[in-house]
Amino acid sequence: IPLLHRASAMSRRPLSLYASPWTAPAWMKSNGDIRGKGTLKGQAGDKYHKTWANYFIKFLDEYAKHNVTFWAVTAQNEPLAALLTPPEFPTIVFTAAQQRDFVVRDLGPALARSPHRTRLIILDDQRIHLPHWAEAVLGNATAARYVAGVGVHWYLDGVVPAGCSLAATHALFPRHFLLYTEACSGFLTLR
């Protein structure tokens, strides 16, 4: 929080911060561990999903107490990465349909009811999952109302052309932004 305050004070314009969760607490996950291929226990609309959605609101509430607001949150960082990464990777696995249902029944309504004007970003994973992921989530009218945009990572960009992923997604859902939410140099230099 002190670093965010310093960065904000040094900026010529307001910062647009977004937050992205890595994992839920172990007791909420199917594998009982913050690491690995666990999903949220149960299904969208149940106590685990509602509690996880409320974690987002509590996070925003606590930062707001320190005068830090977030422009957006992502529903999950790399929801499919655990399928490809070592077992110690902390994550929650979501399919596109599971993320859609979580947005429709839990996270979208929780954000809408909250005092925060924080936007919601879906996917937050490799663009290789587009346009399928966007079709599964944004193809649902209720989910589409809650979602502002699609977050993508660049690590596998060399595998799928931008026209097949980004352009196709934009053509299908022009009212939802596409934003690179994660990238680093020197990792998987397939670009």
Side-chain angles (χ1 to χ4, degrees):
I1 291 171
L3 290 175
L4 290 173
H5 285 159
R6 279 183 60 199
S8 184
M10 293 166 47
S11 179
R12 292 189 180 122
R13 59 180 183 238
L15 299 178
S16 294
L17 302 174
Y18 78 91
S20 186
W22 280 79
T23 186
W27 66 268
M28 296 175 70
K29 290 181 58 187
S30 63
N31 66 343
D33 195 329
I34 62 168
R35 300 160 298 173
K37 297 174 173 54
T39 61
L40 283 177
K41 288 180 181 176
Q43 58 190 350
D46 71 10
K47 66 181 182 179
Y48 296 103
H49 287 72
K50 293 212 177 304
T51 300
W52 184 232
N54 286 331
Y55 266 67
F56 282 76
I57 306 309
K58 289 181 183 293
F59 169 85
L60 296 170
D61 290 345
E62 290 304 312
Y63 272 84
K65 289 177 185 176
H66 297 281
N67 202 27
V68 176
T69 58
F70 287 84
W71 164 75
V73 293
T74 75
Q76 175 60 41
N77 178 59
E78 297 185 352
L80 294 176
L83 302 177
L84 306 171
T85 59
E88 56 277 344
F89 192 82
T91 191
I92 303 171
V93 175
F94 276 102
T95 65
Q98 289 168 326
Q99 189 170 86
R100 176 200 60 220
D101 295 346
F102 176 56
V103 166
V104 168
R105 300 177 121 205
D106 306 296
L107 185 55
L111 283 169
R113 284 190 309 269
S114 81
H116 308 286
R117 297 295 53 123
T118 305
R119 292 172 174 86
L120 180 57
I121 299 172
I122 59 163
L123 184 56
D124 199 21
D125 207 333
Q126 309 308 316
R127 77 175 194 210
I128 199 168
H129 303 299
L130 294 175
H132 163 73
W133 197 280
E135 290 173 314
V137 180
L138 300 177
N140 178 289
T142 304
R145 282 196 304 273
Y146 290 125
V147 173
V150 180
V152 293
H153 299 182
W154 79 345
Y155 306 112
L156 299 177
D157 280 6
V159 176
V160 60
C164 297
S165 56
L166 301 177
T169 302
H170 177 68
L172 291 168
F173 305 102
R175 293 189 174 155
H176 292 83
F177 63 77
L178 295 164
L179 176 69
Y180 272 105
T181 53
E182 183 180 318
C184 69
S185 296
F187 180 78
L188 291 179
T189 54
L190 299 174
R191 292 178 34 99

